[in-house]
């Protein structure tokens, strides 16, 4: 029988990797589920809810994970937790694979198999496992709600006996998953919404949500989408034209939500200080790209900055501010990923290493980093990069690092899409 353990997250993370609903599903599928006492409380899931779902409650994080074949987390856990796990057990979470390489290396060396959900290939079959989508969607919603709450005027047009309140103008920059939800939310609140992106494919989606699309639609724009559906870094000439268009547009906007990201690159700077100065005092910018440096020149990650009467929200982890929904959707993503790897007859963990979703998300196995991009970032020497996660061997002692530890081996292998780089959606 497969055993699943769920520890509580750190103090800055209100979400949890398992909901009572998904616990029930796993128990029904033949799993033993153990949740640390109080782990779900910040998502309003009580220990009793988990017990009712058939789970056991453990006193400590160590008790929750020590007997587990699979551990679900939201964030990358501390090393002590991985050390408390069985060797070869699977740790599944948003492991932020492109930050703090040394810590990740140490985590890999515990012998725990690491799966990083941010690396899920974006193919149709994996849509139900796509944590970036489930969390970004909520971030897009929360960005607009936060902006509306901070905006000291109303969003919808109101015609009253005392006069007319004009509709607010909301501009969404970057129309991926978060941007689309931001458009829909702003429209529901009655704002006049415009949106921009460098990918032509979004033009129709924007129109279908009742917003107006504005962009520099030149030849480069027509080629701006990668085969994977992501944006490319634009040329300096394009950026200049885009900046002129944005400068003209932004000065008439009340709320701007920026979400623009380019895989593997810092967030593009789309709003300059001068553009912010052209906006009316009281205007609000919510920068969802804050974790990757921000889309404005003024964004302070984790803070609300103010510049000439305009407030720029650079707050992090917006999905964590809607933890009930965020945890529920995230937990469903994890269970959808795990379920095919539970043997129907024996009810044991049986990871299919030929499966592209297992290969795409695995970052460490048997003590070695098995993802090429991460291994490269770790400056690792290559052996087999675990043959695209199939046959990782114990960290073959490569060149020792200054701290005396050897790096895990790596080799060119089929890797999934480019990283979002530490994005915690
Ligand atoms: P993202 O978070 O990488 O980027 C957000 C948006 O910013 C994108 O639309 C991008 O084009 C835009 N952007 C980048 N540079 C810009 C610039 N200079 N100016 C304006 N906009 C800029 O995007 P995402 O939400 O992860 O979505 C990326 C793609 O993945 C989309 O095509 C989406 O439909 C697709 N997707 C597929 C699946 C799936 O099949 N499983 C799931 C989710 C998303």
């Amino acid at each position: 029988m497969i055993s699943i353990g769920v520890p509580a997250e750190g103090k800055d993370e209100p979400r949890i990797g398992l909901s009572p609903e998904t616990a029930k599903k796993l128990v029904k599928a033949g799993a033993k589920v153990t949740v640390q006492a109080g782990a779900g409380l910040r998502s309003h899931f009580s220990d009793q809810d988990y017990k009712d779902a058939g789970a056991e409650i453990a006193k400590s994080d160590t008790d929750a994970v020590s007997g587990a074949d699979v551990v679900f987390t939201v964030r990358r856990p501390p090393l002590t937790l991985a050390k408390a796990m069985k060797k070869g057990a699977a740790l599944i979470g948003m492991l932020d694979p492109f930050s703090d390489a040394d810590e990740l290396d140490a985590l890999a060396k515990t012998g725990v198999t690491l799966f990083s959900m941010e690396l899920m290939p974006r193919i149709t079959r994996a849509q139900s496992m796509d944590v970036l989508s489930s969390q970004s969607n909520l971030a897009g919603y929360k960005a607009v709600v936060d902006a509306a709450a901070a905006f000291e005027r109303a969003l919808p047009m109101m015609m009253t006996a005392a006069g007319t309140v004009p509709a607010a103008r909301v501009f969404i920059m970057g129309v991926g998953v978060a941007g689309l939800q931001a458009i829909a939310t702003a429209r529901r609140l009655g704002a006049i919404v415009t949106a921009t992106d460098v990918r032509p494919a979004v033009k129709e989606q924007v129109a279908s949500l009742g917003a107006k699309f504005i962009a520099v639609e030149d030849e480069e724009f027509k080629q701006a989408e990668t085969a994977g559906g992501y944006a490319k870094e634009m040329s300096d000439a394009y950026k200049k034209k885009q900046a002129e268009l944005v400068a003209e547009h932004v000065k008439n906007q009340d709320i701007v939500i920026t979400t623009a990201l380019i895989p593997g690159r810092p967030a593009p700077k789309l709003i300059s200080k001068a553009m912010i100065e052209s906006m009316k005092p009281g205007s609000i910018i919510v920068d969802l790209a804050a974790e990757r440096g921000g889309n404005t020149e003024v964004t302070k990650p984790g803070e609300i900055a103010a510049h000439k009467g305009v407030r720029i929200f650079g707050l992090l982890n917006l999905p964590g501010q809607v933890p009930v929904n965020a945890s529920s959707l995230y937990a469903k993503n994890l269970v959808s990923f795990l379920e095919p790897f539970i043997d129907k007859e024996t009810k044991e963990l049986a990871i299919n290493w030929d499966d592209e979703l297992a290969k795409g998300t695995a970052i460490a196995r048997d003590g070695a980093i098995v993802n090429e991009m991460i291994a490269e970032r770790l400056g690792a020497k290559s052996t087999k990069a675990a043959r695209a996660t199939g046959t990782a061997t114990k960290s073959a002692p490569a060149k020792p690092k200054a701290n005396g530890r050897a790096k895990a081996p790596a080799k060119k292998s089929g890797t999934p899409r480019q990283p979002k780089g530490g994005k915690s959606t």
Side-chain angles (χ1 to χ4, degrees):
M1 178 197 261
I2 184 174
S3 171
I4 293 153
V6 185
E9 295 292 319
K11 66 173 172 40
D12 296 331
E13 182 49 75
R15 292 170 289 179
I16 177 170
L18 192 79
S19 60
E21 186 191 347
T22 46
K24 193 171 178 180
K25 202 167 180 210
L26 288 170
V27 170
K28 212 170 156 199
K32 175 179 182 244
V33 176
T34 311
V35 181
Q36 183 182 348
L41 285 179
R42 285 174 289 172
S43 292
H44 301 295
F45 303 144
S46 70
D47 289 351
Q48 192 57 49
D49 293 336
Y50 286 106
K51 279 190 206 164
D52 292 346
E56 288 175 20
I57 303 297
K59 281 205 183 84
S60 67
D61 55 354
T62 312
D63 287 349
V65 305
S66 57
D69 304 302
V70 175
V71 169
F72 283 166
T73 65
V74 177
R75 300 274 181 161
R76 185 193 294 183
L79 187 58
T80 45
L81 190 100
K83 282 184 172 163
M85 288 172 62
K86 294 192 293 196
K87 272 207 169 38
L91 174 64
I92 306 177
M94 291 190 285
L95 303 183
D96 199 3
F98 300 101
S99 73
D100 200 339
D102 282 346
E103 191 190 77
L104 195 66
D105 195 25
L107 216 55
K109 285 187 169 62
T110 60
V112 163
T113 305
L114 303 177
F115 290 100
S116 200
M117 292 297 283
E118 301 99 315
L119 299 177
M120 186 64 68
R122 277 184 150 174
I123 56 173
T124 308
R125 180 163 67 92
Q127 273 180 355
S128 61
M129 311 165 199
D130 191 335
V131 298
L132 294 180
S133 291
S134 73
Q135 306 300 295
S136 295
N137 175 53
L138 289 168
Y141 158 79
K142 190 69 168 74
V144 174
V145 170
D146 281 357
F151 189 52
E152 289 137 328
R153 283 176 266 170
L155 261 68
M157 186 177 82
M158 296 178 200
M159 292 171 85
T160 77
T164 300
V165 173
R169 293 180 182 275
V170 176
F171 181 38
I172 314 292
M173 303 188 75
V175 190
V177 177
L180 284 171
Q181 183 55 254
I183 295 174
T185 305
R187 288 277 301 144
R188 282 183 206 120
L189 290 175
I192 298 169
V193 184
T194 49
T196 190
D197 202 296
V198 289
R199 292 183 298 117
V202 305
K203 192 174 174 177
E204 261 180 46
Q205 297 165 2
V206 169
S208 73
L209 288 169
K212 189 171 170 218
F213 186 69
I214 61 152
V216 176
E217 299 186 42
D218 62 5
E219 282 306 310
E220 188 176 348
F221 171 81
K222 290 179 191 150
Q223 319 288 329
E225 182 160 325
T226 65
Y230 287 97
K232 288 181 186 159
E233 172 95 47
M234 304 306 275
S235 69
D236 286 346
Y238 185 93
K239 283 181 191 164
K240 190 164 174 280
K241 284 191 266 181
Q242 188 188 30
E244 283 163 13
L245 180 81
V246 171
E248 202 43 49
H249 189 66
V250 129
K251 62 186 180 197
N252 297 317
Q253 301 304 308
D254 298 303
I255 292 173
V256 180
I257 311 286
T258 65
T259 78
L261 291 172
I262 304 158
R265 316 263 322 155
K269 289 277 178 272
L270 301 178
I271 300 195
S272 66
K273 223 178 216 179
M275 289 181 201
I276 293 174
E277 286 164 10
S278 77
M279 294 176 77
K280 289 188 288 282
S283 300
I284 305 282
I285 300 174
V286 178
D287 190 349
L288 284 181
E291 270 180 51
R292 294 263 299 276
N295 287 142
T296 93
E297 280 181 0
V298 176
T299 304
K300 290 193 184 132
E303 290 179 33
I304 301 171
H307 186 69
K308 303 270 165 93
V310 177
R311 274 171 293 163
I312 302 99
F313 286 59
L315 301 181
L316 309 173
N317 195 9
L318 286 193
Q321 291 183 25
V322 254
V324 182
N325 302 121
S327 298
S328 297
L329 298 181
Y330 178 73
K332 279 193 185 157
N333 293 146
L334 297 196
V335 171
S336 299
F337 174 60
L338 179 66
E339 260 183 337
F341 301 137
I342 302 177
D343 188 288
K344 297 267 175 308
E345 315 224 306
T346 64
K347 312 287 185 206
E348 297 294 341
L349 178 65
I351 294 166
N352 173 8
W353 286 107
D354 291 327
D355 184 89
E356 65 180 310
L357 305 186
K359 282 197 265 193
T361 51
I363 57 176
R365 191 178 171 203
D366 296 336
I369 294 286
V370 294
N371 176 291
E372 177 210 348
M373 282 186 292
I374 297 168
E376 268 170 18
R377 284 182 189 219
L378 279 164
K381 288 267 174 191
S382 166
T383 59
K384 300 283 177 200
R387 287 177 198 96
T389 73
T391 54
T393 50
K394 194 93 188 156
S395 235
K399 203 158 105 194
K401 298 195 307 174
N403 61 12
R405 283 183 292 138
K407 280 288 185 192
K411 172 190 171 278
K412 288 260 176 236
S413 63
T415 49
R417 64 189 182 78
Q418 279 284 302
K420 291 258 195 183
K423 176 174 175 175
S424 87
T425 51

